[in-house]
Short mmCIF file of all heavy atoms in Angstrom, two decimals:
data_model
loop_
_atom_site.label_atom_id
_atom_site.label_comp_id
_atom_site.label_asym_id
_atom_site.label_seq_id
_atom_site.Cartn_x
_atom_site.Cartn_y
_atom_site.Cartn_z
N ASP A 1 -55.95 -65.56 -36.25
CA ASP A 1 -55.79 -65.34 -37.69
C ASP A 1 -55.55 -63.86 -37.99
O ASP A 1 -55.71 -62.99 -37.12
CB ASP A 1 -57.04 -65.79 -38.43
CG ASP A 1 -57.24 -67.30 -38.37
OD1 ASP A 1 -56.24 -68.02 -38.18
OD2 ASP A 1 -58.39 -67.75 -38.49
N ALA A 2 -55.23 -63.58 -39.23
CA ALA A 2 -55.03 -62.20 -39.69
C ALA A 2 -56.28 -61.38 -39.41
O ALA A 2 -57.40 -61.80 -39.70
CB ALA A 2 -54.72 -62.19 -41.18
N GLY A 3 -56.08 -60.21 -38.79
CA GLY A 3 -57.20 -59.31 -38.52
C GLY A 3 -57.92 -59.54 -37.22
O GLY A 3 -58.75 -58.73 -36.81
N VAL A 4 -57.63 -60.65 -36.54
CA VAL A 4 -58.30 -60.97 -35.27
C VAL A 4 -57.60 -60.22 -34.14
O VAL A 4 -56.37 -60.11 -34.12
CB VAL A 4 -58.30 -62.48 -35.01
CG1 VAL A 4 -58.88 -62.80 -33.63
CG2 VAL A 4 -59.08 -63.21 -36.10
N HIS A 5 -58.37 -59.75 -33.16
CA HIS A 5 -57.85 -58.96 -32.05
C HIS A 5 -57.70 -59.83 -30.79
O HIS A 5 -58.16 -60.97 -30.74
CB HIS A 5 -58.78 -57.79 -31.76
CG HIS A 5 -59.25 -57.06 -32.98
ND1 HIS A 5 -58.39 -56.32 -33.77
CD2 HIS A 5 -60.47 -56.99 -33.57
CE1 HIS A 5 -59.07 -55.80 -34.78
NE2 HIS A 5 -60.33 -56.20 -34.69
N ALA A 6 -57.10 -59.24 -29.77
CA ALA A 6 -57.01 -59.92 -28.47
C ALA A 6 -56.98 -58.89 -27.35
O ALA A 6 -56.34 -57.85 -27.46
CB ALA A 6 -55.75 -60.78 -28.40
N SER A 7 -57.71 -59.19 -26.29
CA SER A 7 -57.59 -58.41 -25.05
C SER A 7 -56.98 -59.26 -23.95
O SER A 7 -56.56 -58.74 -22.93
CB SER A 7 -58.96 -57.89 -24.61
OG SER A 7 -59.85 -58.97 -24.37
N GLY A 8 -56.93 -60.59 -24.17
CA GLY A 8 -56.40 -61.48 -23.14
C GLY A 8 -55.54 -62.60 -23.70
O GLY A 8 -55.58 -63.72 -23.18
N GLN A 9 -54.77 -62.33 -24.74
CA GLN A 9 -53.82 -63.33 -25.23
C GLN A 9 -52.73 -63.55 -24.18
O GLN A 9 -52.27 -62.58 -23.54
CB GLN A 9 -53.17 -62.85 -26.53
CG GLN A 9 -52.01 -63.66 -27.05
CD GLN A 9 -52.41 -64.97 -27.69
OE1 GLN A 9 -52.68 -65.95 -26.98
NE2 GLN A 9 -52.43 -65.01 -29.02
N MET A 10 -52.35 -64.79 -23.97
CA MET A 10 -51.27 -65.08 -23.02
C MET A 10 -50.06 -65.59 -23.78
O MET A 10 -50.18 -66.44 -24.67
CB MET A 10 -51.73 -66.13 -22.01
CG MET A 10 -50.68 -66.47 -20.96
SD MET A 10 -50.20 -65.06 -19.90
CE MET A 10 -51.75 -64.77 -19.05
N ILE A 11 -48.88 -65.07 -23.44
CA ILE A 11 -47.63 -65.51 -24.05
C ILE A 11 -46.65 -65.89 -22.94
O ILE A 11 -46.83 -65.53 -21.77
CB ILE A 11 -46.99 -64.42 -24.94
CG1 ILE A 11 -46.54 -63.23 -24.07
CG2 ILE A 11 -47.95 -63.96 -26.03
CD1 ILE A 11 -45.56 -62.29 -24.76
N ASN A 12 -45.62 -66.61 -23.33
CA ASN A 12 -44.48 -66.79 -22.43
C ASN A 12 -43.21 -66.87 -23.25
O ASN A 12 -43.23 -67.23 -24.44
CB ASN A 12 -44.65 -68.00 -21.52
CG ASN A 12 -44.41 -69.32 -22.24
OD1 ASN A 12 -45.23 -69.74 -23.05
ND2 ASN A 12 -43.29 -69.98 -21.94
N PHE A 13 -42.09 -66.51 -22.64
CA PHE A 13 -40.79 -66.60 -23.29
C PHE A 13 -39.72 -66.79 -22.23
O PHE A 13 -39.89 -66.40 -21.07
CB PHE A 13 -40.49 -65.34 -24.13
CG PHE A 13 -40.41 -64.06 -23.34
CD1 PHE A 13 -39.20 -63.59 -22.86
CD2 PHE A 13 -41.56 -63.32 -23.09
CE1 PHE A 13 -39.12 -62.40 -22.14
CE2 PHE A 13 -41.50 -62.13 -22.36
CZ PHE A 13 -40.28 -61.67 -21.88
N HIS A 14 -38.63 -67.44 -22.62
CA HIS A 14 -37.51 -67.67 -21.72
C HIS A 14 -36.41 -66.65 -22.00
O HIS A 14 -36.15 -66.30 -23.15
CB HIS A 14 -36.97 -69.09 -21.88
CG HIS A 14 -37.90 -70.15 -21.38
ND1 HIS A 14 -38.96 -70.64 -22.13
CD2 HIS A 14 -37.96 -70.79 -20.18
CE1 HIS A 14 -39.61 -71.56 -21.43
NE2 HIS A 14 -39.02 -71.67 -20.25
N THR A 15 -35.77 -66.20 -20.93
CA THR A 15 -34.73 -65.19 -21.06
C THR A 15 -33.65 -65.40 -20.01
O THR A 15 -33.93 -65.85 -18.89
CB THR A 15 -35.33 -63.78 -20.94
OG1 THR A 15 -34.27 -62.81 -20.97
CG2 THR A 15 -36.10 -63.60 -19.64
N ARG A 16 -32.42 -65.06 -20.38
CA ARG A 16 -31.32 -65.08 -19.41
C ARG A 16 -31.22 -63.74 -18.68
O ARG A 16 -30.43 -63.59 -17.75
CB ARG A 16 -30.00 -65.39 -20.12
CG ARG A 16 -29.90 -66.83 -20.63
CD ARG A 16 -28.50 -67.13 -21.18
NE ARG A 16 -28.24 -66.36 -22.39
CZ ARG A 16 -28.56 -66.78 -23.62
NH1 ARG A 16 -29.18 -67.94 -23.78
NH2 ARG A 16 -28.28 -66.03 -24.67
N SER A 17 -31.99 -62.78 -19.11
CA SER A 17 -31.99 -61.47 -18.46
C SER A 17 -32.57 -61.58 -17.05
O SER A 17 -33.43 -62.41 -16.77
CB SER A 17 -32.84 -60.48 -19.28
OG SER A 17 -33.08 -59.31 -18.54
N HIS A 18 -32.06 -60.74 -16.15
CA HIS A 18 -32.55 -60.74 -14.77
C HIS A 18 -33.51 -59.58 -14.49
O HIS A 18 -33.74 -59.22 -13.33
CB HIS A 18 -31.36 -60.69 -13.80
CG HIS A 18 -30.49 -61.92 -13.86
ND1 HIS A 18 -30.93 -63.15 -13.44
CD2 HIS A 18 -29.24 -62.09 -14.33
CE1 HIS A 18 -29.97 -64.05 -13.63
NE2 HIS A 18 -28.93 -63.42 -14.17
N LEU A 19 -34.06 -59.00 -15.54
CA LEU A 19 -35.06 -57.95 -15.34
C LEU A 19 -36.28 -58.52 -14.63
O LEU A 19 -36.70 -59.65 -14.91
CB LEU A 19 -35.48 -57.36 -16.68
CG LEU A 19 -34.41 -56.65 -17.52
CD1 LEU A 19 -35.00 -56.22 -18.86
CD2 LEU A 19 -33.84 -55.46 -16.77
N THR A 20 -36.87 -57.75 -13.75
CA THR A 20 -38.08 -58.21 -13.07
C THR A 20 -39.26 -58.15 -14.03
O THR A 20 -39.23 -57.42 -15.03
CB THR A 20 -38.40 -57.33 -11.86
OG1 THR A 20 -38.74 -56.01 -12.31
CG2 THR A 20 -37.22 -57.26 -10.89
N PRO A 21 -40.32 -58.90 -13.76
CA PRO A 21 -41.49 -58.84 -14.63
C PRO A 21 -42.05 -57.43 -14.78
O PRO A 21 -42.51 -57.05 -15.86
CB PRO A 21 -42.49 -59.77 -13.94
CG PRO A 21 -41.64 -60.74 -13.20
CD PRO A 21 -40.46 -59.95 -12.71
N GLN A 22 -42.02 -56.66 -13.70
CA GLN A 22 -42.53 -55.30 -13.77
C GLN A 22 -41.70 -54.44 -14.72
O GLN A 22 -42.24 -53.62 -15.48
CB GLN A 22 -42.55 -54.66 -12.36
CG GLN A 22 -43.53 -55.30 -11.39
CD GLN A 22 -43.09 -56.67 -10.91
OE1 GLN A 22 -41.88 -56.98 -10.87
NE2 GLN A 22 -44.05 -57.51 -10.52
N VAL A 23 -40.40 -54.64 -14.70
CA VAL A 23 -39.53 -53.90 -15.62
C VAL A 23 -39.76 -54.37 -17.05
O VAL A 23 -39.79 -53.56 -17.99
CB VAL A 23 -38.04 -54.06 -15.21
CG1 VAL A 23 -37.13 -53.45 -16.28
CG2 VAL A 23 -37.79 -53.40 -13.87
N TRP A 24 -39.94 -55.68 -17.22
CA TRP A 24 -40.26 -56.20 -18.55
C TRP A 24 -41.52 -55.55 -19.11
O TRP A 24 -41.57 -55.15 -20.27
CB TRP A 24 -40.45 -57.72 -18.50
CG TRP A 24 -39.21 -58.50 -18.78
CD1 TRP A 24 -38.52 -59.31 -17.91
CD2 TRP A 24 -38.49 -58.58 -20.02
NE1 TRP A 24 -37.42 -59.87 -18.52
CE2 TRP A 24 -37.39 -59.44 -19.82
CE3 TRP A 24 -38.67 -57.99 -21.27
CZ2 TRP A 24 -36.47 -59.74 -20.83
CZ3 TRP A 24 -37.77 -58.29 -22.29
CH2 TRP A 24 -36.69 -59.15 -22.07
N GLN A 25 -42.54 -55.43 -18.27
CA GLN A 25 -43.80 -54.83 -18.73
C GLN A 25 -43.58 -53.39 -19.18
O GLN A 25 -44.01 -52.99 -20.27
CB GLN A 25 -44.87 -54.88 -17.64
CG GLN A 25 -46.20 -54.30 -18.08
CD GLN A 25 -47.26 -54.35 -16.99
OE1 GLN A 25 -46.96 -54.64 -15.84
NE2 GLN A 25 -48.50 -54.07 -17.36
N ARG A 26 -42.89 -52.61 -18.36
CA ARG A 26 -42.66 -51.20 -18.71
C ARG A 26 -41.78 -51.08 -19.95
O ARG A 26 -42.05 -50.26 -20.84
CB ARG A 26 -42.02 -50.46 -17.53
CG ARG A 26 -42.93 -50.28 -16.33
CD ARG A 26 -42.39 -49.20 -15.40
NE ARG A 26 -41.07 -49.53 -14.89
CZ ARG A 26 -40.84 -50.22 -13.77
NH1 ARG A 26 -41.86 -50.68 -13.05
NH2 ARG A 26 -39.61 -50.47 -13.36
N ALA A 27 -40.74 -51.90 -20.02
CA ALA A 27 -39.81 -51.80 -21.14
C ALA A 27 -40.47 -52.22 -22.45
O ALA A 27 -40.29 -51.56 -23.48
CB ALA A 27 -38.58 -52.67 -20.86
N LEU A 28 -41.22 -53.30 -22.41
CA LEU A 28 -41.89 -53.75 -23.63
C LEU A 28 -42.91 -52.72 -24.11
O LEU A 28 -43.00 -52.41 -25.30
CB LEU A 28 -42.57 -55.10 -23.39
CG LEU A 28 -41.64 -56.31 -23.35
CD1 LEU A 28 -42.38 -57.56 -22.87
CD2 LEU A 28 -41.02 -56.57 -24.73
N ASN A 29 -43.68 -52.17 -23.19
CA ASN A 29 -44.67 -51.16 -23.58
C ASN A 29 -44.01 -49.90 -24.12
O ASN A 29 -44.62 -49.15 -24.89
CB ASN A 29 -45.58 -50.83 -22.41
CG ASN A 29 -46.66 -51.87 -22.20
OD1 ASN A 29 -47.08 -52.54 -23.15
ND2 ASN A 29 -47.12 -52.02 -20.97
N ALA A 30 -42.76 -49.67 -23.73
CA ALA A 30 -42.04 -48.48 -24.22
C ALA A 30 -41.58 -48.67 -25.67
O ALA A 30 -41.43 -47.68 -26.40
CB ALA A 30 -40.85 -48.18 -23.32
N VAL A 31 -41.35 -49.91 -26.10
CA VAL A 31 -40.80 -50.12 -27.45
C VAL A 31 -41.79 -50.74 -28.42
O VAL A 31 -41.58 -50.68 -29.64
CB VAL A 31 -39.52 -50.99 -27.39
CG1 VAL A 31 -38.45 -50.32 -26.54
CG2 VAL A 31 -39.83 -52.39 -26.86
N LEU A 32 -42.87 -51.33 -27.92
CA LEU A 32 -43.86 -51.93 -28.80
C LEU A 32 -44.67 -50.84 -29.52
O LEU A 32 -44.85 -49.74 -28.99
CB LEU A 32 -44.82 -52.82 -28.00
CG LEU A 32 -44.29 -54.19 -27.58
CD1 LEU A 32 -45.21 -54.81 -26.53
CD2 LEU A 32 -44.15 -55.12 -28.79
N PRO A 33 -45.18 -51.14 -30.70
CA PRO A 33 -46.06 -50.16 -31.38
C PRO A 33 -47.36 -49.98 -30.60
O PRO A 33 -47.71 -50.80 -29.74
CB PRO A 33 -46.31 -50.82 -32.74
CG PRO A 33 -46.08 -52.27 -32.52
CD PRO A 33 -45.00 -52.36 -31.49
N GLY A 34 -48.08 -48.93 -30.90
CA GLY A 34 -49.31 -48.62 -30.17
C GLY A 34 -50.40 -49.66 -30.32
O GLY A 34 -51.36 -49.66 -29.55
N THR A 35 -50.27 -50.56 -31.30
CA THR A 35 -51.29 -51.58 -31.53
C THR A 35 -51.09 -52.83 -30.68
O THR A 35 -51.90 -53.76 -30.74
CB THR A 35 -51.28 -51.99 -33.01
OG1 THR A 35 -49.94 -52.28 -33.41
CG2 THR A 35 -51.87 -50.87 -33.87
#
């Protein structure tokens, strides 16, 4: 809900990109907000 936090939320998504998971992690952390 609104205002609730997470330290262990799990997500998944499908992509045609061939980036490795490690690259996905670095790239997402580079563009996501600090929250």
